[in-house]
Amino acid sequence: MLLGVSMLDLARFQFAMTTVFHFFFVPFSIGMGLVVSIMETMYVVKKDEVYKKMAQFWGKIYLLSFAVGVVTGLIQEFQFGMNWSDYSRFMGDIFGAPLAIEALLAFFMESTFIGLWTFTWNKFKPAAHCALVWISFLGSMLSAIWILTANAFMQHPVGFVIKGGKAQMASFGALVSNPQLWACFPHVVIGAIVTASFVVAGMAAFGLLAKRDVNFHKKSMRVALWIGMIAAICEAGAGDYQTQVEIHEQPMKFAATEGVYTTTGDKAPWDIVADLDTKNHENKGAWSIPDVLTILTYHKTTGSIKGMNEINKELHKKYDSKFGKGMDYYVPVKTLFYSFRIMAGFDLWFIIVSILGLIWTRPSKDTIENKRWFLWVLGVTTYFPFIANTCGWFITELGRFPWTVYGLFTIADSVSASTTTGELWFTNIMYFLIFSTLGGVMVYYCKKQLDKGVDKALEGGVY
Amino acid sequence: MIDGIQPLQLLWFGLIGLLFVIFYFLEGFDYGVGMATHILARNDNERRLMIQTIGPHWDGNEVWLITAGGAMFASFASWYASLFSGYYILLFFTLFALIIRGVSFEFSAHADTVKGFRFWVWALFFGSLFAPFLLTMMFGSLIQGVPMNAAGNMSLGFWNIVNWLSIVAGVAGVLLCLIHGLNFLRLRIDDPDLSRRAQDLNNKLYIIAYIGEVVFALLVIFQTDFFQKRPISSIVITLAVVVFTVLSQIFNKTNHQAWAFITSGLTLGSVVVLLFNGLFPRVLIAQNPANSLLIKNAANGQLTLQVMTIVLIICLPIALAYIIWSYVVFRRRLKVQAEK
């Protein structure tokens, strides 16, 4: 203990910090892969040079996000062993396989084809060159599937047996057909597409505000807003679908995101804000809309939602023989409750601004340049997907408390025995400095590229 | 099977060795080129050219390290857990080196001031220097046996990590990567002057490499049990290291660039083979032999190994095919271009 902070706290803080930072850039780069692929495909189909420029200009942003995603991903692979070695020993038989498959199947594909794509603008015919970026996008999707396979097991362990105090794989098929995985995957990938769309639209808005490359940025904005609108609408559906799975698999997580302590009646109201008393485990009052929670949850007008207090009792009954009576099964309720509202609120925001943007940039009556306030709104929106993504992961990961593997292995048991508090303080501070620098430089270079203007940024080819 | 080791366990021990061999062969040269940006290059145009030779490949090469780590996790979770938590600080610095190096490629391309560009090339240089130094140092340290309890938790002191053998191993690793990188560079450029300078530098480096190899071999003999436990194979592989170096030097002198590159890569590869051969049938050597982590104990379950074997048989040939294709695409030699 140092400054009253335990090693476990530090290791948890580090995991949160490194994954949150990694998860700024991963969805960004997955989504940019699709946006750039679509732009280059439009070039191949329409043969209009402006789309080629678009793919190249936004492609450079794609490469930046990819680079930061790669290096922060390295930390992920190392830290399971470094900070969570007891977890790795317990879970390695199951958890290692998806990670290794991710490298073999996805990382080689992404890295090789993105390298080919970057340096062969003048080497291949447009259609062949365009195929390269699609393949690297496909690689990043595969990568998402495998890392989520690993995560899905932690949320909802399937296809295993416990042998000699360790989890052992009993069925690989069960691992990859985990309902948790296929509920989570669309939500994450569509979220990635939303992220990239609004970064491109937002940066293009800043470009228009500076009255630079007007035609280019307007066209980029339209492409991005189309993709963004479709994705943001689908995202609501994907989130709903994941919730349906969660209600059954992790009722505590679900009840916490809605702040439900005591089991509701058949017509549950939806709380917009609530006074949550986490000490006495009660919801002391809220602004709420009647019936809406029931409708959102069950897609029909009657149905009660089980409260955390009841779920807590059930969990004690289920696990006390194994983990003892001292366990606290309440998750960080306030964080989950507000994370959900911020995340869902931003999705609604994305749908609205993309529809407005598309209306005001329509070729028959294009007035967007005069609506400088709206360009500012779009510009600021650049940052919102990152907040929404982070909130989403807070719900997923904090909602798994107190487990690393749900119902099987606790967070407290997972941490490395040989690591010291001093080492963790050191690496936490260093990671913080590294991440602030990387993030700062990345934003700086994005802004710089925008300020330079399209032609200057693409001078001398892409490289 | 030998010592109760199952065939699949043996296969995966070998495969992890192979993945590290490929990693050193491929990423070895791009570490070398990264170092050459400040050891050989005389101006920014040459630096740009060097970065361009590895630009399309470095990321794919690094995936071999990620794959080796992932495969270790997937097939020997206890090995992965003990090793990564034990060498905590060393691996953190390795990560640091890999991070600054990884972003340096994109960031230097985006930098439009001379100062900014040079800053990121320095990041590339130091990253490329310290990544192989620290990784090879870790191997040099762990083969001597480490303080480890029965649960597999290490309690490494400073001198367990930093000692003669580990430092010599780290320096030798850096040196061999530099030689290998210069050989790669010569293959990829159309610049007689730079190529000539790389050749001359290598001529000197081979001499230092011999000294390094001899000192390394002597320290391995005295500081590890490799030559007592597996004398014949250890001697044969050590000789292979030297023979490949000699061949590489001759090919470099006679200007057989491709062969010089292949043999310098095989030199690095044989060093890895020497280490894995000496480790067998253990994966981690504890100072108290009873606590050593053995292949048969550290291995994951049979089903996981079967699944991983099938995945590998399907994925690896496909990956190798497009990786090789990417080298074919970028086979044309590059010239120094005037300032952008």
Side-chain angles (χ1 to χ4, degrees):
Chain A
M1 297 280 266
L2 184 62
L3 304 178
V5 185
S6 73
M7 206 183 82
L8 180 63
D9 295 330
L10 287 167
R12 290 188 66 196
F13 180 77
Q14 185 163 101
F15 192 80
M17 176 170 62
T18 52
T19 40
V20 164
F21 192 78
H22 182 54
F23 205 71
F24 282 160
F25 294 97
V26 170
F28 184 17
S29 70
I30 293 178
M32 283 306 282
L34 181 71
V35 172
V36 171
S37 297
I38 290 175
M39 285 169 171
E40 195 171 348
T41 307
M42 291 175 81
Y43 165 62
V44 172
V45 175
K46 296 192 174 181
K47 299 190 176 59
D48 181 347
E49 282 291 318
V50 74
Y51 291 109
K52 182 180 181 182
K53 274 189 186 172
M54 241 185 236
Q56 290 183 332
F57 183 85
W58 301 110
K60 290 184 78 141
I61 306 287
Y62 173 35
L63 291 173
L64 269 179
S65 65
F66 188 80
V68 182
V70 167
V71 298
T72 52
L74 273 172
I75 300 172
Q76 303 307 318
E77 198 200 27
F78 278 45
Q79 77 171 340
F80 291 115
M82 289 167 75
N83 291 344
W84 304 98
S85 59
D86 279 347
Y87 166 79
S88 300
R89 287 193 186 99
F90 177 76
M91 266 286 288
D93 197 68
I94 295 156
F95 197 78
L99 291 193
I101 298 172
E102 187 186 14
L104 275 168
L105 196 68
F107 289 164
F108 278 124
M109 194 164 165
E110 277 179 275
S111 58
T112 308
F113 282 93
I114 208 170
L116 280 161
W117 178 78
T118 311
F119 294 92
T120 53
W121 281 96
N122 303 319
K123 227 172 217 150
F124 291 123
K125 286 194 179 120
H129 187 263
C130 182
L132 298 174
V133 68
W134 277 107
I135 296 173
S136 81
F137 170 64
L138 183 74
S140 65
M141 299 261 282
L142 288 173
S143 147
I145 290 180
W146 289 104
I147 194 63
L148 290 175
T149 304
N151 184 272
F153 184 89
M154 297 168 76
Q155 304 289 346
H156 178 59
V158 286
F160 69 97
V161 288
I162 301 285
K163 234 190 212 168
K166 289 179 183 181
Q168 264 202 350
M169 198 193 288
S171 159
F172 184 67
L175 203 62
V176 283
S177 60
N178 191 341
Q180 180 75 35
L181 163 65
W182 298 105
C184 190
F185 174 71
H187 191 172
V188 167
V189 167
I190 297 171
I193 297 165
V194 171
T195 306
S197 307
F198 287 95
V199 171
V200 171
M203 284 181 69
F206 281 125
L208 288 182
L209 279 171
K211 298 191 171 33
R212 200 179 295 112
D213 306 305
V214 171
N215 182 41
F216 175 89
H217 283 312
K218 217 180 280 171
K219 281 197 164 152
S220 299
M221 188 188 279
R222 269 190 82 76
V223 174
L225 288 178
W226 269 113
I227 303 171
M229 182 188 70
I230 297 168
I233 292 170
C234 293
E235 184 70 336
D240 176 61
Y241 177 60
Q242 190 177 6
T243 309
Q244 299 304 315
V245 174
E246 221 113 81
I247 296 166
H248 299 290
E249 315 292 7
Q250 299 175 322
M252 180 61 96
K253 182 189 279 183
F254 175 73
T257 55
E258 297 300 352
V260 178
Y261 274 110
T262 41
T263 304
T264 67
D266 264 350
K267 289 187 187 296
W270 189 70
D271 297 351
I272 303 169
V273 286
D275 181 8
L276 299 167
D277 183 347
T278 49
K279 268 221 178 80
N280 300 313
H281 306 304
E282 57 178 324
N283 185 337
K284 285 161 75 177
W287 294 350
S288 44
I289 319 172
D291 299 0
V292 170
L293 181 56
T294 296
I295 297 169
L296 282 177
T297 311
Y298 297 113
H299 303 166
K300 54 182 192 189
T301 51
T302 54
S304 86
I305 283 102
K306 207 186 273 180
M308 281 178 273
N309 296 339
E310 193 180 337
I311 299 164
N312 181 48
K313 273 185 204 139
E314 288 176 6
L315 288 171
H316 272 292
K317 213 168 160 191
K318 197 168 168 191
Y319 293 119
D320 274 358
S321 58
K322 218 166 126 200
F323 294 95
K325 287 187 175 11
M327 293 282 285
D328 178 8
Y329 293 108
Y330 288 97
V331 297
V333 180
K334 280 186 182 167
T335 315
L336 263 63
F337 181 84
Y338 286 105
S339 290
F340 177 74
R341 273 142 194 80
I342 294 168
M343 177 184 73
F346 274 134
D347 195 54
L348 188 64
W349 174 263
F350 298 142
I351 296 173
I352 294 168
V353 294
S354 54
I355 291 173
L356 288 178
L358 285 170
I359 291 172
W360 289 329
T361 50
R362 68 188 187 280
S364 60
K365 194 161 180 267
D366 168 7
T367 54
I368 191 111
E369 279 163 87
N370 308 329
K371 296 192 170 54
R372 293 182 66 83
W373 66 271
F374 183 71
L375 291 174
W376 273 108
V377 167
L378 263 184
V380 174
T381 302
T382 309
Y383 298 96
F384 294 168
F386 298 96
I387 304 172
N389 288 339
T390 306
C391 288
W393 271 108
F394 277 165
I395 299 169
T396 307
E397 296 296 273
L398 291 173
R400 147 166 83 63
F401 192 82
W403 317 101
T404 35
V405 188
Y406 209 82
L408 273 187
F409 205 61
T410 64
I411 299 172
D413 286 335
S414 301
V415 77
S416 295
S418 55
T419 319
T420 64
T421 328
E423 287 173 331
L424 269 158
W425 269 107
F426 172 72
T427 52
N428 265 323
I429 293 167
M430 288 297 289
Y431 280 133
F432 183 78
L433 294 176
I434 294 170
F435 291 159
S436 336
T437 313
L438 289 184
V441 172
M442 160 109 197
V443 173
Y444 174 76
Y445 280 137
C446 285
K447 186 182 175 314
K448 206 88 192 280
Q449 182 178 326
L450 197 62
D451 291 346
K452 251 193 250 177
V454 176
D455 290 323
K456 193 130 185 294
L458 298 180
E459 235 169 43
V462 180
Y463 260 85
Chain B
M1 249 353 251
I2 325 156
D3 277 348
I5 299 171
Q6 304 291 320
L8 278 181
Q9 299 175 343
L10 185 67
L11 175 75
W12 276 91
F13 178 74
L15 281 172
I16 289 168
L18 179 68
L19 289 169
F20 273 106
V21 167
I22 301 177
F23 161 70
Y24 269 97
F25 193 110
L26 293 175
E27 183 121 300
F29 74 69
D30 65 55
Y31 288 147
V33 174
M35 287 183 248
T37 55
H38 274 289
I39 292 178
L40 188 70
R42 286 188 176 152
N43 55 50
D44 286 348
N45 287 337
E46 286 187 355
R47 286 182 191 114
R48 242 179 264 276
L49 173 74
M50 288 178 178
I51 294 170
Q52 231 188 323
T53 64
I54 52 173
H57 305 302
W58 74 269
D59 191 8
N61 293 344
E62 196 159 286
V63 174
W64 290 99
L65 177 65
I66 301 173
T67 308
M72 200 186 253
F73 202 171
S75 53
F76 297 92
S78 315
W79 184 9
Y80 166 83
S82 295
L83 180 68
F84 279 64
S85 60
Y87 282 91
Y88 189 87
I89 290 291
L90 182 140
L91 284 171
F92 170 77
F93 283 114
T94 311
L95 273 176
F96 186 74
L98 291 172
I99 289 170
I100 57 169
R101 176 175 196 274
V103 292
S104 73
F105 292 92
E106 275 312 310
F107 286 178
S108 68
H110 274 262
D112 48 5
T113 58
V114 175
K115 235 183 178 171
F117 175 76
R118 288 192 180 154
F119 179 82
W120 292 115
V121 178
W122 275 113
L124 172 64
F125 171 78
F126 282 114
S128 303
L129 178 72
F130 280 104
F133 176 75
L134 292 167
L135 275 175
T136 324
M137 187 175 177
M138 181 181 80
F139 281 116
S141 156
L142 70 88
I143 56 175
Q144 302 170 62
V146 289
M148 186 165 72
N149 65 19
N153 291 316
M154 295 183 196
S155 45
L156 291 172
F158 181 76
W159 302 112
N160 290 118
I161 302 172
V162 181
N163 52 49
W164 284 110
L165 176 50
S166 72
I167 292 171
V168 169
V171 171
V174 167
L175 201 60
L176 292 176
C177 285
L178 178 58
I179 291 174
H180 191 41
L182 292 174
N183 283 328
F184 177 78
L185 191 65
R186 297 196 65 211
L187 268 178
R188 295 284 292 113
I189 53 171
D190 178 13
D191 184 323
D193 172 54
L194 185 60
S195 182
R196 188 62 218 250
R197 271 157 41 215
Q199 189 182 16
D200 290 346
L201 178 58
N202 253 355
N203 269 331
K204 289 172 201 147
L205 291 177
Y206 282 112
I207 309 295
I208 309 173
Y210 290 128
I211 301 170
E213 283 168 13
V214 171
V215 177
F216 176 72
L218 286 172
L219 285 167
V220 170
I221 290 171
F222 291 112
Q223 298 292 329
T224 74
D225 56 14
F226 287 12
F227 283 82
Q228 286 111 53
K229 289 225 158 156
R230 320 184 59 76
I232 299 170
S233 53
S234 293
I235 291 170
V236 170
I237 302 166
T238 309
L239 284 176
V241 174
V242 179
V243 168
F244 283 131
T245 320
V246 173
L247 285 174
S248 185
Q249 186 192 18
I250 295 170
F251 287 132
N252 179 58
K253 253 201 179 115
T254 54
N255 213 22
H256 291 82
Q257 296 176 5
W259 284 108
F261 168 70
I262 291 168
T263 42
S264 59
L266 290 175
T267 312
L268 275 165
S270 346
V271 176
V272 177
V273 174
L274 177 71
L275 303 179
F276 274 75
N277 177 68
L279 279 177
F280 182 87
R282 305 156 292 189
V283 288
L284 279 177
I285 306 167
Q287 281 172 352
N288 172 4
N291 291 343
S292 286
L293 212 49
L294 305 178
I295 293 177
K296 58 182 175 190
N297 302 336
N300 286 351
Q302 199 66 10
L303 178 65
T304 305
L305 295 183
Q306 282 166 2
V307 169
M308 286 310 300
T309 308
I310 294 167
V311 170
L312 190 88
I313 290 170
I314 299 169
C315 292
L316 200 60
I318 301 173
L320 279 172
Y322 58 66
I323 290 168
I324 292 169
W325 178 64
S326 81
Y327 283 91
V328 173
V329 169
F330 296 110
R331 67 189 176 282
R332 205 168 57 86
R333 286 171 184 263
L334 301 167
K335 276 186 184 173
V336 168
Q337 283 165 347
E339 189 72 43
K340 272 208 270 196

